[in-house]
Amino acid sequence: MGGLAGGFLAAVAALVVVTLVTGGRNAPPPPGAQVPVVASDSHYLSDAGPDAPVLVEFLDFECEACAAAYPLVEQIREEYDGRLSVVARYFPLPGHANAENAAVAVEAAAGQGAFEAMYQRMYATQAQWGEQQQSQADLFRTFAADLGLDLAAYDAAVADPGTLSRVGRDLTDGQALGVQSTPTFFLDGQRIEPTSIEDFRAQVDAALAQRR
């Protein structure tokens, strides 16, 4: 697994940090506003119950570093199944032309109970659609078809301004929490910067130990 960790670190090192430019739609909350790391409508990839530590990732599906971190997050989910809750929150960066489209597609799929399946599909295919300047919305629709989703309902969700607004709420929460690049992780409300799978395990183990 050292190769995976090395790939993650290399991708993070090569990542150009994008400074967020906010417009009216995504204006951050006023200073001092209380913003939860986990919102009431956040998507749980793993739910170990109210007494478990919670790992939250703010992610961008077009981000290469997020794709490199994805196998590590999946490994942590597997190793701590039933003991660790894992939450994914959207944070599409403005420098990625299809990051927002991808998040909207995943959120539309979530309306049919397919959040995780579409989340996984985005990372599995990132090399196919990432770094494209033209919209990849039609390709994302084929992913929905491949997953057996009701395409009429999917199309309606993609077109619904509420879907984009849902993505935007994650983004503005992240901004208020100080997120500026992806992936950004929080463990039990505190930002962490794991440097390897071993470091990831150590920090999760420490969070678990605090509950004993």
Side-chain angles (χ1 to χ4, degrees):
M1 191 49 63
L4 268 182
F8 172 51
L9 295 174
V12 171
L15 179 66
V16 176
V17 176
V18 179
T19 300
L20 293 170
V21 178
T22 60
R25 189 187 69 221
N26 290 327
Q34 295 298 310
V35 175
V37 176
V38 180
S40 60
D41 59 354
S42 289
H43 296 295
Y44 281 76
L45 292 165
S46 301
D47 187 354
D51 297 326
V54 182
L55 176 68
V56 179
E57 180 186 3
F58 282 87
L59 58 86
D60 174 331
F61 291 109
E62 195 170 353
C63 164
E64 292 182 1
C66 292
Y70 166 67
L72 298 178
V73 174
E74 290 296 287
Q75 183 174 349
I76 290 293
R77 284 182 62 198
E78 180 180 353
E79 292 182 6
Y80 293 89
D81 183 40
R83 295 184 291 157
L84 175 71
S85 295
V86 180
V87 172
R89 300 196 69 179
Y90 307 114
F91 201 80
L93 294 168
H96 293 153
N98 279 285
E100 188 174 84
N101 285 337
V104 166
V106 174
E107 183 61 23
Q112 298 187 50
F115 173 84
E116 184 173 353
M118 188 67 97
Y119 158 96
Q120 292 174 336
R121 181 63 63 91
M122 288 298 176
Y123 283 132
T125 62
Q126 188 195 82
Q128 177 182 355
W129 59 268
E131 300 184 4
Q132 302 294 322
Q133 294 307 303
Q134 65 272 29
S135 171
Q136 299 296 301
D138 288 346
L139 176 63
F140 299 155
R141 188 176 188 272
T142 70
F143 297 166
D146 291 344
L147 295 174
L149 301 188
D150 178 329
L151 291 182
Y154 172 84
D155 290 342
V158 168
D160 183 351
T163 304
L164 180 58
S165 178
R166 167 66 184 78
V167 171
R169 288 197 299 275
D170 273 7
L171 178 64
T172 55
D173 280 1
Q175 290 172 305
L177 290 164
V179 177
Q180 293 186 318
S181 60
T182 55
T184 293
F185 294 98
F186 291 83
L187 182 60
D188 278 349
Q190 300 300 312
R191 183 167 176 172
I192 62 170
E193 298 181 358
T195 57
S196 66
I197 188 65
E198 293 77 17
D199 186 25
F200 228 144
R201 289 193 192 103
Q203 297 197 52
V204 173
D205 287 341
L208 286 166
Q210 291 179 359
R211 285 165 164 71
R212 292 173 187 158

